[in-house]
Amino acid sequence: QGYSSAASDVYKRQVLMSIKEVCEYTGWGMTKTREILKRSDSDFTIRVGNRLYVNKKLFDDYLVKCAKNKTDI
């Protein structure tokens, strides 16, 4: 019980998320997630070598903006 609470706290403070974590966070599939992260307008994407990561705060801001403007993702 204590472990899951600690893991949850770490996730809340997490700054970068991997593609797998973004999929778990949003419920999207890997293909859709990669497509979104590779867009030129995705300010929340960080590339480290071959790997793609997401800045969680910027990504959350993007999702809120899309929801407010009723924009397709």
Side-chain angles (χ1 to χ4, degrees):
Q1 180 107 305
Y3 176 76
S4 63
S5 175
S8 176
D9 289 343
V10 168
Y11 187 71
K12 288 178 187 174
R13 292 189 309 252
Q14 188 173 4
V15 175
L16 294 181
M17 295 191 301
S18 67
I19 291 179
K20 183 179 177 185
E21 290 168 329
V22 173
C23 290
E24 291 171 3
Y25 185 65
T26 60
W28 300 338
M30 284 283 214
T31 304
K32 182 66 172 178
T33 302
R34 279 195 184 99
E35 175 189 313
I36 292 168
L37 298 185
K38 288 182 178 181
R39 290 180 187 164
S40 60
D41 66 338
S42 65
D43 297 332
F44 46 81
T45 302
I46 298 170
R47 185 177 295 271
V48 179
N50 255 358
R51 298 177 187 237
L52 296 174
Y53 293 92
V54 168
N55 178 304
K56 187 174 183 306
K57 181 180 178 345
L58 294 177
F59 185 62
D60 285 340
D61 292 345
Y62 168 77
L63 293 175
V64 168
K65 183 176 87 173
C66 287
K68 282 184 181 177
N69 298 330
K70 298 181 181 176
T71 306
D72 289 339
I73 294 179

